[in-house]
Amino acid sequence: MIPDLAIVGAGLAGSALAIRAAQAGRRVLLVERETGPHDKVCGEFLSREAVLHLHALGLDPLALGGVPIDHVGLSRGRLATRTRLPFSAVGLSRRILDEALIVRAQACGAIVRRGVVVRAISPPGSGQRLRLDRGDDIAAGSIVLATGKHELRSHPRQPGRQNDLVGFKQHLRLSDAQRAALDGASELTLFPGGYAGLQMVSHHHASLCLLVRSARLKALGGTWPALRDAILAGSPLLARRLSGAEPVQDRPLSIARIPYGLVSTLQDGLWRLGDQAAVIPSFTGDGMSIALHSAAVCARLIERGASPDALQRALAADLSPQIRLATTLSRAAVRPWVQHAAVAAAHLLPALADRIAARTRIPEPALARALGHAGAAPAPGTPAPATGLLASSPS
């Protein structure tokens, strides 16, 4: 069988498209390099928009063990503030969420091949084919690139506008007291050269995800212990949260050269989803919703017989202003004097933070189009629209 769609990467975007396309009657092949559930460098914050997309796919993140988040904290040094979010978000491990999406895709009829590495994609003019690490080729009607922040060597993506950040992520078991103190909140800590997010992603585990400028990391010796110690020495609130914490993994995951600010304009005949299409800075908490949004837009365009170029234009129209503003803010936010001002402004001028949040999220008309109805009004129990303080840990 030659699939109508061969999707490379079974993360949020790839699996979400597989679900939608299979439900529409398409023959779908979903290829994933990992053999089983795994963690990713991600803040694991599901915004209201992301939860809406998951509900549309038949998944409830709370039923998967997610933790409700209704507050956001912001701190720099000894200055800290916390405010209630005007919407409900969810913290959930990517290990659990990604696996649930893959299982859902299979249940909808997609064929999933795990532990398979795609080495190359043939040029569109010679027919759409995947070249696998085992030496065989797979023909497909169309090929979708959804490999997240990892590039396929034969089809590199464009750089972003902020490419000098290194990401780290680790799950932790907090002390009972600190788990209770963090419950229901996503706390963003600003430090010289970067920022860190901490939140619960299950009833037992917290997720620490941080970004630091590569020059700052190098100045500290380039090691995780040195970076962690430097951050905690200047961040009393985060140090208190992590006091007595036990790491779940032996060492944190890491990733370099994250292309923040990317909005792809490539015209290479491939459907590009998620971080292959657009990457918004993590502090917005909208990274996972953009991945799910790109899959929904892609599915609708495929059904209309549109081209991959139409997807890039549609995503640019939906997301460019938000990503441009968020990247400008992110580039400023790693500077110490801006960080102090940001915490003070969040405390004194919450309305300003509201406006920034509204302008760095997927617009309601675009969300409604992607979800396929006239308005994005949620079903009972679904989070309300986001109008509050910048909401999250890195995602």
PDB file of all heavy atoms in Angstrom, residues 363-390:
ATOM      1  N   PRO A 363      -4.640  33.926  17.376  1.00  0.00           N
ATOM      2  CA  PRO A 363      -5.859  34.753  17.378  1.00  0.00           C
ATOM      3  C   PRO A 363      -7.119  33.897  17.352  1.00  0.00           C
ATOM      4  O   PRO A 363      -7.141  32.813  16.752  1.00  0.00           O
ATOM      5  CB  PRO A 363      -5.725  35.574  16.084  1.00  0.00           C
ATOM      6  CG  PRO A 363      -4.278  35.522  15.721  1.00  0.00           C
ATOM      7  CD  PRO A 363      -3.783  34.189  16.211  1.00  0.00           C
ATOM      8  N   GLU A 364      -8.168  34.374  17.987  1.00  0.00           N
ATOM      9  CA  GLU A 364      -9.412  33.618  18.054  1.00  0.00           C
ATOM     10  C   GLU A 364      -9.979  33.272  16.670  1.00  0.00           C
ATOM     11  O   GLU A 364     -10.434  32.142  16.465  1.00  0.00           O
ATOM     12  CB  GLU A 364     -10.452  34.393  18.868  1.00  0.00           C
ATOM     13  CG  GLU A 364     -10.196  34.364  20.361  1.00  0.00           C
ATOM     14  CD  GLU A 364     -10.304  32.959  20.936  1.00  0.00           C
ATOM     15  OE1 GLU A 364     -11.355  32.307  20.757  1.00  0.00           O
ATOM     16  OE2 GLU A 364      -9.327  32.500  21.549  1.00  0.00           O
ATOM     17  N   PRO A 365      -9.990  34.192  15.686  1.00  0.00           N
ATOM     18  CA  PRO A 365     -10.514  33.800  14.364  1.00  0.00           C
ATOM     19  C   PRO A 365      -9.713  32.661  13.735  1.00  0.00           C
ATOM     20  O   PRO A 365     -10.288  31.755  13.127  1.00  0.00           O
ATOM     21  CB  PRO A 365     -10.401  35.094  13.542  1.00  0.00           C
ATOM     22  CG  PRO A 365     -10.418  36.188  14.556  1.00  0.00           C
ATOM     23  CD  PRO A 365      -9.689  35.640  15.741  1.00  0.00           C
ATOM     24  N   ALA A 366      -8.385  32.690  13.885  1.00  0.00           N
ATOM     25  CA  ALA A 366      -7.549  31.623  13.334  1.00  0.00           C
ATOM     26  C   ALA A 366      -7.807  30.312  14.056  1.00  0.00           C
ATOM     27  O   ALA A 366      -7.864  29.239  13.441  1.00  0.00           O
ATOM     28  CB  ALA A 366      -6.068  32.002  13.442  1.00  0.00           C
ATOM     29  N   LEU A 367      -7.983  30.383  15.378  1.00  0.00           N
ATOM     30  CA  LEU A 367      -8.278  29.187  16.156  1.00  0.00           C
ATOM     31  C   LEU A 367      -9.613  28.590  15.740  1.00  0.00           C
ATOM     32  O   LEU A 367      -9.743  27.371  15.570  1.00  0.00           O
ATOM     33  CB  LEU A 367      -8.288  29.537  17.645  1.00  0.00           C
ATOM     34  CG  LEU A 367      -8.547  28.403  18.632  1.00  0.00           C
ATOM     35  CD1 LEU A 367      -7.452  27.343  18.539  1.00  0.00           C
ATOM     36  CD2 LEU A 367      -8.653  28.950  20.057  1.00  0.00           C
ATOM     37  N   ALA A 368     -10.611  29.449  15.528  1.00  0.00           N
ATOM     38  CA  ALA A 368     -11.930  28.976  15.118  1.00  0.00           C
ATOM     39  C   ALA A 368     -11.871  28.302  13.758  1.00  0.00           C
ATOM     40  O   ALA A 368     -12.488  27.252  13.544  1.00  0.00           O
ATOM     41  CB  ALA A 368     -12.910  30.147  15.093  1.00  0.00           C
ATOM     42  N   ARG A 369     -11.121  28.896  12.815  1.00  0.00           N
ATOM     43  CA  ARG A 369     -11.003  28.280  11.486  1.00  0.00           C
ATOM     44  C   ARG A 369     -10.347  26.910  11.582  1.00  0.00           C
ATOM     45  O   ARG A 369     -10.768  25.951  10.930  1.00  0.00           O
ATOM     46  CB  ARG A 369     -10.194  29.186  10.558  1.00  0.00           C
ATOM     47  CG  ARG A 369     -10.909  30.440  10.105  1.00  0.00           C
ATOM     48  CD  ARG A 369     -10.164  31.082   8.945  1.00  0.00           C
ATOM     49  NE  ARG A 369      -8.790  31.426   9.281  1.00  0.00           N
ATOM     50  CZ  ARG A 369      -8.420  32.592   9.811  1.00  0.00           C
ATOM     51  NH1 ARG A 369      -9.339  33.519  10.088  1.00  0.00           N
ATOM     52  NH2 ARG A 369      -7.146  32.838  10.081  1.00  0.00           N
ATOM     53  N   ALA A 370      -9.294  26.816  12.388  1.00  0.00           N
ATOM     54  CA  ALA A 370      -8.575  25.547  12.504  1.00  0.00           C
ATOM     55  C   ALA A 370      -9.431  24.468  13.142  1.00  0.00           C
ATOM     56  O   ALA A 370      -9.364  23.295  12.762  1.00  0.00           O
ATOM     57  CB  ALA A 370      -7.297  25.745  13.319  1.00  0.00           C
ATOM     58  N   LEU A 371     -10.255  24.855  14.096  1.00  0.00           N
ATOM     59  CA  LEU A 371     -11.111  23.889  14.779  1.00  0.00           C
ATOM     60  C   LEU A 371     -12.369  23.570  13.983  1.00  0.00           C
ATOM     61  O   LEU A 371     -13.117  22.656  14.332  1.00  0.00           O
ATOM     62  CB  LEU A 371     -11.488  24.409  16.169  1.00  0.00           C
ATOM     63  CG  LEU A 371     -10.325  24.472  17.173  1.00  0.00           C
ATOM     64  CD1 LEU A 371     -10.751  25.196  18.443  1.00  0.00           C
ATOM     65  CD2 LEU A 371      -9.837  23.066  17.508  1.00  0.00           C
ATOM     66  N   GLY A 372     -12.607  24.374  12.927  1.00  0.00           N
ATOM     67  CA  GLY A 372     -13.692  24.042  12.014  1.00  0.00           C
ATOM     68  C   GLY A 372     -15.064  24.481  12.442  1.00  0.00           C
ATOM     69  O   GLY A 372     -16.059  23.875  12.058  1.00  0.00           O
ATOM     70  N   HIS A 373     -15.164  25.550  13.238  1.00  0.00           N
ATOM     71  CA  HIS A 373     -16.482  26.080  13.576  1.00  0.00           C
ATOM     72  C   HIS A 373     -16.411  27.589  13.671  1.00  0.00           C
ATOM     73  O   HIS A 373     -15.342  28.198  13.653  1.00  0.00           O
ATOM     74  CB  HIS A 373     -17.036  25.476  14.863  1.00  0.00           C
ATOM     75  CG  HIS A 373     -16.071  25.489  16.015  1.00  0.00           C
ATOM     76  ND1 HIS A 373     -15.734  26.613  16.703  1.00  0.00           N
ATOM     77  CD2 HIS A 373     -15.380  24.466  16.592  1.00  0.00           C
ATOM     78  CE1 HIS A 373     -14.872  26.306  17.663  1.00  0.00           C
ATOM     79  NE2 HIS A 373     -14.645  25.015  17.622  1.00  0.00           N
ATOM     80  N   ALA A 374     -17.560  28.218  13.782  1.00  0.00           N
ATOM     81  CA  ALA A 374     -17.645  29.676  13.666  1.00  0.00           C
ATOM     82  C   ALA A 374     -16.982  30.388  14.821  1.00  0.00           C
ATOM     83  O   ALA A 374     -16.489  31.498  14.682  1.00  0.00           O
ATOM     84  CB  ALA A 374     -19.109  30.098  13.573  1.00  0.00           C
ATOM     85  N   GLY A 375     -16.967  29.788  15.974  1.00  0.00           N
ATOM     86  CA  GLY A 375     -16.338  30.407  17.125  1.00  0.00           C
ATOM     87  C   GLY A 375     -15.591  29.376  17.910  1.00  0.00           C
ATOM     88  O   GLY A 375     -15.864  28.189  17.813  1.00  0.00           O
ATOM     89  N   ALA A 376     -14.637  29.810  18.722  1.00  0.00           N
ATOM     90  CA  ALA A 376     -13.831  28.863  19.484  1.00  0.00           C
ATOM     91  C   ALA A 376     -14.365  28.689  20.885  1.00  0.00           C
ATOM     92  O   ALA A 376     -13.629  28.497  21.826  1.00  0.00           O
ATOM     93  CB  ALA A 376     -12.378  29.329  19.528  1.00  0.00           C
ATOM     94  N   ALA A 377     -15.696  28.796  21.036  1.00  0.00           N
ATOM     95  CA  ALA A 377     -16.285  28.626  22.358  1.00  0.00           C
ATOM     96  C   ALA A 377     -16.083  27.189  22.822  1.00  0.00           C
ATOM     97  O   ALA A 377     -16.385  26.246  22.097  1.00  0.00           O
ATOM     98  CB  ALA A 377     -17.771  28.962  22.315  1.00  0.00           C
ATOM     99  N   PRO A 378     -15.568  26.993  24.023  1.00  0.00           N
ATOM    100  CA  PRO A 378     -15.270  25.637  24.492  1.00  0.00           C
ATOM    101  C   PRO A 378     -16.499  24.890  24.969  1.00  0.00           C
ATOM    102  O   PRO A 378     -17.516  25.479  25.311  1.00  0.00           O
ATOM    103  CB  PRO A 378     -14.303  25.886  25.660  1.00  0.00           C
ATOM    104  CG  PRO A 378     -14.715  27.231  26.184  1.00  0.00           C
ATOM    105  CD  PRO A 378     -15.157  28.023  24.985  1.00  0.00           C
ATOM    106  N   ALA A 379     -16.373  23.581  24.992  1.00  0.00           N
ATOM    107  CA  ALA A 379     -17.410  22.748  25.591  1.00  0.00           C
ATOM    108  C   ALA A 379     -17.362  22.914  27.103  1.00  0.00           C
ATOM    109  O   ALA A 379     -16.395  23.436  27.651  1.00  0.00           O
ATOM    110  CB  ALA A 379     -17.171  21.289  25.205  1.00  0.00           C
ATOM    111  N   PRO A 380     -18.406  22.510  27.813  1.00  0.00           N
ATOM    112  CA  PRO A 380     -18.399  22.634  29.275  1.00  0.00           C
ATOM    113  C   PRO A 380     -17.165  21.992  29.886  1.00  0.00           C
ATOM    114  O   PRO A 380     -16.797  20.874  29.545  1.00  0.00           O
ATOM    115  CB  PRO A 380     -19.683  21.881  29.682  1.00  0.00           C
ATOM    116  CG  PRO A 380     -20.583  21.996  28.488  1.00  0.00           C
ATOM    117  CD  PRO A 380     -19.665  21.948  27.302  1.00  0.00           C
ATOM    118  N   GLY A 381     -16.530  22.734  30.798  1.00  0.00           N
ATOM    119  CA  GLY A 381     -15.348  22.228  31.470  1.00  0.00           C
ATOM    120  C   GLY A 381     -14.048  22.504  30.749  1.00  0.00           C
ATOM    121  O   GLY A 381     -12.975  22.231  31.266  1.00  0.00           O
ATOM    122  N   THR A 382     -14.135  23.061  29.520  1.00  0.00           N
ATOM    123  CA  THR A 382     -12.924  23.384  28.773  1.00  0.00           C
ATOM    124  C   THR A 382     -12.442  24.765  29.175  1.00  0.00           C
ATOM    125  O   THR A 382     -13.251  25.649  29.436  1.00  0.00           O
ATOM    126  CB  THR A 382     -13.213  23.352  27.257  1.00  0.00           C
ATOM    127  OG1 THR A 382     -13.745  22.076  26.932  1.00  0.00           O
ATOM    128  CG2 THR A 382     -11.952  23.585  26.453  1.00  0.00           C
ATOM    129  N   PRO A 383     -11.111  25.001  29.226  1.00  0.00           N
ATOM    130  CA  PRO A 383     -10.588  26.288  29.674  1.00  0.00           C
ATOM    131  C   PRO A 383     -11.142  27.473  28.911  1.00  0.00           C
ATOM    132  O   PRO A 383     -11.407  27.409  27.713  1.00  0.00           O
ATOM    133  CB  PRO A 383      -9.084  26.147  29.434  1.00  0.00           C
ATOM    134  CG  PRO A 383      -8.841  24.679  29.549  1.00  0.00           C
ATOM    135  CD  PRO A 383     -10.049  24.043  28.962  1.00  0.00           C
ATOM    136  N   ALA A 384     -11.304  28.586  29.630  1.00  0.00           N
ATOM    137  CA  ALA A 384     -11.802  29.819  29.034  1.00  0.00           C
ATOM    138  C   ALA A 384     -10.682  30.562  28.320  1.00  0.00           C
ATOM    139  O   ALA A 384      -9.512  30.232  28.483  1.00  0.00           O
ATOM    140  CB  ALA A 384     -12.387  30.704  30.143  1.00  0.00           C
ATOM    141  N   PRO A 385     -11.015  31.581  27.499  1.00  0.00           N
ATOM    142  CA  PRO A 385      -9.987  32.287  26.725  1.00  0.00           C
ATOM    143  C   PRO A 385      -8.909  32.914  27.580  1.00  0.00           C
ATOM    144  O   PRO A 385      -9.151  33.337  28.710  1.00  0.00           O
ATOM    145  CB  PRO A 385     -10.795  33.352  25.974  1.00  0.00           C
ATOM    146  CG  PRO A 385     -12.178  32.807  25.895  1.00  0.00           C
ATOM    147  CD  PRO A 385     -12.358  32.040  27.173  1.00  0.00           C
ATOM    148  N   ALA A 386      -7.719  32.991  26.999  1.00  0.00           N
ATOM    149  CA  ALA A 386      -6.580  33.569  27.696  1.00  0.00           C
ATOM    150  C   ALA A 386      -6.568  35.069  27.540  1.00  0.00           C
ATOM    151  O   ALA A 386      -6.554  35.574  26.444  1.00  0.00           O
ATOM    152  CB  ALA A 386      -5.294  32.990  27.128  1.00  0.00           C
ATOM    153  N   THR A 387      -6.592  35.788  28.651  1.00  0.00           N
ATOM    154  CA  THR A 387      -6.464  37.241  28.582  1.00  0.00           C
ATOM    155  C   THR A 387      -5.533  37.738  29.683  1.00  0.00           C
ATOM    156  O   THR A 387      -5.507  38.917  29.989  1.00  0.00           O
ATOM    157  CB  THR A 387      -7.832  37.922  28.774  1.00  0.00           C
ATOM    158  OG1 THR A 387      -8.406  37.496  30.017  1.00  0.00           O
ATOM    159  CG2 THR A 387      -8.780  37.555  27.643  1.00  0.00           C
ATOM    160  N   GLY A 388      -4.773  36.847  30.301  1.00  0.00           N
ATOM    161  CA  GLY A 388      -4.022  37.237  31.486  1.00  0.00           C
ATOM    162  C   GLY A 388      -2.536  37.278  31.294  1.00  0.00           C
ATOM    163  O   GLY A 388      -2.023  37.251  30.188  1.00  0.00           O
ATOM    164  N   LEU A 389      -1.840  37.305  32.404  1.00  0.00           N
ATOM    165  CA  LEU A 389      -0.378  37.446  32.449  1.00  0.00           C
ATOM    166  C   LEU A 389       0.310  36.367  31.638  1.00  0.00           C
ATOM    167  O   LEU A 389      -0.156  35.257  31.519  1.00  0.00           O
ATOM    168  CB  LEU A 389       0.080  37.347  33.909  1.00  0.00           C
ATOM    169  CG  LEU A 389       1.546  37.561  34.204  1.00  0.00           C
ATOM    170  CD1 LEU A 389       1.933  39.007  33.944  1.00  0.00           C
ATOM    171  CD2 LEU A 389       1.848  37.207  35.651  1.00  0.00           C
ATOM    172  N   LEU A 390       1.426  36.742  31.049  1.00  0.00           N
ATOM    173  CA  LEU A 390       2.223  35.771  30.301  1.00  0.00           C
ATOM    174  C   LEU A 390       2.338  34.496  31.104  1.00  0.00           C
ATOM    175  O   LEU A 390       2.724  34.487  32.258  1.00  0.00           O
ATOM    176  CB  LEU A 390       3.631  36.337  30.038  1.00  0.00           C
ATOM    177  CG  LEU A 390       3.662  37.503  29.085  1.00  0.00           C
ATOM    178  CD1 LEU A 390       5.068  38.014  28.963  1.00  0.00           C
ATOM    179  CD2 LEU A 390       3.123  37.140  27.740  1.00  0.00           C
TER     180      LEU A 390
END
